[in-house]
Amino acid sequence: MTGKDNEYEFVKNLNNKKIKNLNPLLYSLLKYLFPNESENETIKCWLNHYPQKTDILIKINSKIKGISLKYGSRNSVHVEPISQFIHFLKENHVSKESINEYLKYHYADGTTNGKGIKRISSTDYKKQHQKEIDKINQELNNVELLKKAINRFVIQGNNSDFKIDAIVYGNVNDFLWLSKEEILEILLRKRNNYSTGIHFSNLFVQPQNRCLNYNHKYEKERYCVQVKWYSLFDDMVENMYLKSQSKKENNFQV
């Protein structure tokens, strides 16, 4: 099943259904999104055909909620031209030194514009330049910049006026989910996690394709930045565990 197939499955299982007739997972998600709506209400659900963070829209009465759907491994959460990414860094006062070092990491060909002759893998680049990468990460993971990056890469994007209400990982019968508030909380909490790659918390920044074999078909992808949330599933499981522990503690105190 592709990601697009998965989106269709969610729409099919939600559109024109009543909350009370949903499977237990969808029921719990809809009760969170629409806590004040009756279980007898009919749901409207449709695909968002614009390339935005929201993949499907769910409407009950006059209220509309947006969902980002993820399926499979090594989840990409954002892609944009490198020029836009660099502009984002500049407008948020990232130092010229860190921007230049990022460009060197991105192209890994000895230049800041991708015109170098010899390209090397990210693994080889890290072996030679880990100190520079660590310095970039220190600057990228300050709280204020990180909040803006999380909003840009996961919650709202750079081409929409609307934020997602939740991110869902899996299929209609087996999924985990996070609210937008939980996404922010998790990624802020993990901002000091060490990694050898360039990252905003657990969101890793890299070229969409390093094109080490000089394949003309993928050359343009060298000029795009891709953001991946590799640990999305693990972070969701951990969040579920922490919530259950917190609930136990609260019940114990009562």
Side-chain angles (χ1 to χ4, degrees):
M1 181 188 288
T2 67
K4 189 57 70 177
D5 292 333
N6 197 42
E7 292 172 16
Y8 280 112
E9 282 297 306
F10 271 89
V11 170
K12 188 172 77 174
N13 280 268
L14 288 169
N15 192 40
N16 292 324
K17 304 292 192 299
K18 293 184 183 297
I19 297 176
K20 66 180 181 181
N21 294 331
L22 299 175
N23 73 41
L25 278 174
L26 287 173
Y27 177 88
S28 66
L29 175 62
L30 269 288
K31 287 302 288 181
Y32 168 79
L33 294 172
F34 301 94
N36 300 317
E37 300 299 333
S38 164
E39 294 185 354
N40 292 309
E41 295 291 352
T42 299
I43 304 159
K44 293 295 179 184
C45 181
W46 63 96
L47 292 174
N48 180 13
H49 294 288
Y50 294 98
Q52 298 171 338
K53 298 306 174 193
T54 297
D55 294 307
I56 62 171
L57 294 143
I58 304 171
K59 181 178 181 181
I60 299 180
N61 292 322
S62 60
K63 297 183 178 68
I64 299 176
K65 304 292 182 178
I67 306 296
S68 173
L69 294 173
K70 298 298 173 188
Y71 183 78
S73 60
R74 302 169 70 83
N75 280 282
S76 174
V77 292
H78 187 77
V79 176
E80 66 180 35
I82 191 166
S83 57
Q84 290 183 16
F85 177 68
I86 296 303
H87 180 72
F88 168 72
L89 298 182
K90 285 180 178 178
E91 70 180 8
N92 285 288
H93 312 296
V94 173
S95 68
K96 187 175 181 180
E97 180 186 3
S98 286
I99 289 172
N100 283 337
E101 289 299 335
Y102 174 77
L103 288 167
K104 291 176 187 176
Y105 167 83
H106 184 95
Y107 294 119
D109 65 1
T111 74
T112 58
N113 62 10
K115 303 301 182 185
I117 296 171
K118 184 182 177 183
R119 302 172 186 176
I120 63 174
S121 69
S122 60
T123 301
D124 288 338
Y125 190 89
K126 289 174 190 176
K127 287 176 183 175
Q128 300 170 30
H129 301 282
Q130 193 60 58
K131 191 181 292 185
E132 292 92 333
I133 291 171
D134 291 346
K135 197 171 178 182
I136 297 169
N137 284 332
Q138 191 173 12
E139 190 168 355
L140 295 186
N141 283 277
N142 80 75
V143 171
E144 290 311 309
L145 175 56
L146 185 53
K147 285 179 181 177
K148 292 177 182 177
I150 294 166
N151 189 64
R152 182 182 185 88
F153 301 150
V154 185
I155 295 175
Q156 183 172 349
N158 56 348
N159 60 351
S160 174
D161 295 328
F162 306 101
K163 297 181 178 183
I164 64 170
D165 293 283
I167 187 169
V168 170
Y169 178 87
N171 60 56
V172 289
N173 296 308
D174 183 16
F175 66 82
L176 298 172
W177 59 276
L178 297 170
S179 68
K180 63 176 180 283
E181 292 80 12
E182 288 173 320
I183 292 168
L184 186 62
E185 178 188 330
I186 288 167
L187 292 173
L188 287 176
R189 188 171 70 238
K190 294 178 177 289
R191 73 185 183 91
N192 292 320
N193 286 8
Y194 181 77
S195 174
T196 58
I198 291 179
H199 62 98
F200 293 83
S201 182
N202 279 6
L203 305 174
F204 285 82
V205 185
Q206 60 196 54
Q208 190 176 11
N209 195 317
R210 286 196 175 274
C211 203
L212 297 179
N213 61 1
Y214 299 84
N215 186 330
H216 226 43
K217 185 178 177 182
Y218 301 107
E219 189 69 17
K220 64 181 180 182
E221 294 181 0
R222 288 187 75 225
Y223 298 92
C224 288
V225 168
Q226 185 171 48
V227 181
K228 290 201 170 190
W229 191 346
Y230 291 108
S231 62
L232 176 59
F233 176 77
D234 292 337
D235 289 340
M236 284 178 154
V237 171
E238 180 187 58
N239 184 68
M240 190 167 59
Y241 172 76
L242 292 175
K243 282 201 298 187
S244 68
Q245 291 300 107
S246 177
K247 197 171 182 181
K248 283 180 185 177
E249 288 173 10
N250 290 336
N251 289 340
F252 180 75
Q253 289 172 3
V254 171

